[in-house]
Amino acid sequence: MRDITYTAALREALFEEMEIDESVFLIGEDIADFGGVFGVTKNLLQKFGRKRVCQTPISEGAIIGAAVGAAMTGLRPVAELMYVDFILFAMDQTVNQAAKLRYMSGGTVKVPVVIRAQQGCGTCEAAQHSQQLEAWFMHTPGLKVVIPSNPYDAKGLLKTAIRDDNPVIFLEHRMLYSARQQVPDDTWTIPFGRAEIKKSGKDITVVATSLCVHKALEVAKDNHFDIEVIDPRTLVPLDIDTIAESVVKTGRLLVVHESIAQCGVGAEIIRLITEQYFKAFKTAPKVLGGAYVPMPFAKVLEENAVPQKRDIIETINNMMKE
Amino acid sequence: MIPIEKKIDILRIMYLIREFEIASRNIFKAHLAKGEFLGALHNCDGQEAVAASIGAILRKDDYVFTTFRGHGHSIAKGAEPKKMMAELLGKKTGYSKGRGGSMHMFDPSIGLMGGNGVVGGGLTLAVGAALSAQYRCSDQVSVCFFGDGAAAIGAFHEAINLASLWKLPVIFLCENNLWAATTPIKFGCPIENISERAKGYNCVGKSIDGNDVYTVYETFLSAVDRGRNGNGPSLIECKTYRHHPHCMVIPEHRPKDEKQMWLQRDPIPKFEKVLQNENILSNHQQEKIRNEIKKIIAEAIKFAEDSPLPTVDTLYDYIWA
Ligand SMILES: Cc1ncc(C[n+]2csc(CCOP(=O)(O)OP(=O)(O)O)c2C)c(N)n1
């Protein structure tokens, strides 16, 4: 075993897949000489050269569009967006094009593109640099959505994303880049659609994503209730069976994420579970998600716009009372 | 000819921008030392001649759309340093009441239509403000500041095409500081002068020395005249350089000799020399203005530090009109 960061894990995945498959290449802003502003692609230029580490102008529409076009014609591009907020310049290429080409072409066209985007909050970067948009992508048929919470998952899922024949939105949380974990010496992949029970428990099911997995685990660690923490890891496809099994066992479901609660990930998970397993509930299921507000700048407001550990504890206590 | 008082005013604003930037970096570092991160801070030291010259020409009711690197433009448009400093600290008394931070300072009452975190995000909005001026039969102009990097955004082309087609009073003001984050201009733009693009849109284009106050002033003045007289947009490219890395969290990576060369072209000493040669600025006067500026900045810092933070119960304020 060895200790690596989330950043290093992502870089290993890129490195390995680029070594195995000549058709894999990277495209994005500041990714070559500087290695990406978050350092994920550091040294890949030295190893693979400019042909395969394509540093672009600030042109998100062209980055995603070119990646999609290249994917339609036999390559496996991995595009990097510095902040997911900027994919909004490329929503046509992502939503109107990438997501629909396979279907519109009656299955004749294939779009094996990965769009890696950094997102998250916690650094006071305000409303245009702090969005977490997984729900937007979940709402679009034809896009897979991956949201790893630790180095092991990041590497294994990114490798799978690159090998997948469909467009994959791969969302990295900026507060996780420095997260460390013991991982195996050799390599691995993780299949999509497999949630992981990060901690098992029998009193309440907490489904959490991305940074909130860590918040939930910390709460679960020294809590007098026996909390089960599940990380779906991929939102499309979503492993609803693992969550359902847990809810049938505990009778309580709390979903925690930083992205906005309204029309969000938690709402969808609860819809799916409630429709089929309504009778399993001992208490109403609940979502702790981002507040319905553009992300404010001031730390004191930012902290209160997303769920914190104290909110998770309080909500669990209330749900356990019922 | 620029009136003497205006020249001194321009110098004052240049000093004020420089001191504000120095102070903002110091505050950022002091907070970081306490483990507090104040978000993204993009300073504009080195680019003061552009902002200050333009500010001297615009009327209060003209519009300015700026970027994430917008402290200088905001000051030049008349923003108060104390409210800017308070915003940097996320205070209730700041321009955006702690919601915006360094990148998002707005004051519509002085035509400051905000900083933008999205590269090129202001380009089409500036076109809209110009459309509004034309619609209302006003002779206001709308200025959009953007970087060389933003000229690669699709919105740039859409904005300038529409503005030219409809003869809108927009001035597209590109500050080409040779770098977009860590990407050199040669990886971002295949032509030498971004203003050449104006031709493709039947628009007036000029590339000039952005560190020379008189050049910026004169070029901008004729662009404003064009706009006010209904003759359509202009694209002005000011060649300049930022003295510091892209933002506080990115280390310096630009070639030393390039930076050294541009530091020698620092617009502030350059303009001081011009004014001294014209005998309108004495050492004594220079010192006096500098001291006044230092005082303004010190007061701004004190105001910001003494101001209260927004309270949590106001989290949902200002979502709706
Ligand atoms: C649409 C978009 N893409 C990427 C970014 C990240 N980013 C912020 S500033 C910047 C470089 C901007 O360069 P330029 O436009 O030349 O302005 P300068 O920094 O030189 O003032 C980048 C890539 C962003 N904010 N918005």
Side-chain angles (χ1 to χ4, degrees), chain A residues 238-258:
Chain A
L238 180 65
D239 179 1
I240 204 68
D241 295 343
T242 298
I243 299 170
E245 221 172 278
S246 173
V247 174
V248 167
K249 174 175 72 178
T250 64
R252 293 183 169 89
L253 173 62
L254 169 64
V255 186
V256 191
H257 49 71
E258 286 190 344

Side-chain angles (χ1 to χ4, degrees), chain A residues 204-207 243 247 250-255 269-270 273 281 283-287 319:
Chain A
I204 181 167
T205 302
V206 176
V207 175
I243 299 170
V247 174
T250 64
R252 293 183 169 89
L253 173 62
L254 169 64
V255 186
I269 290 174
I270 288 178
I273 298 293
F281 286 116
T283 177
K286 206 158 163 47
V287 178
M319 288 175 75

Side-chain angles (χ1 to χ4, degrees), chain B residues 50-110:
Chain B
V50 179
S53 312
I54 287 168
I57 292 168
L58 290 176
R59 296 193 318 234
K60 190 174 171 187
D61 66 341
D62 289 325
Y63 300 113
V64 162
F65 291 80
T66 173
T67 67
F68 43 87
R69 200 181 301 290
H71 301 165
H73 310 140
S74 306
I75 289 173
K77 193 69 179 64
E80 289 177 59
K82 60 177 193 167
K83 286 201 204 167
M84 290 178 63
M85 205 60 92
E87 189 58 38
L88 283 186
L89 292 183
K91 297 296 179 77
K92 198 174 148 179
T93 52
Y95 266 115
S96 305
K97 305 186 183 69
R99 272 67 178 176
S102 165
M103 293 192 283
H104 310 290
M105 303 206 194
F106 291 76
D107 187 356
S109 74
I110 56 165

Side-chain angles (χ1 to χ4, degrees), chain A residues 63-81:
Chain A
I63 293 169
I64 304 305
V68 171
M72 291 169 76
T73 51
L75 302 184
R76 305 189 87 85
V78 181
E80 174 175 310
L81 292 172

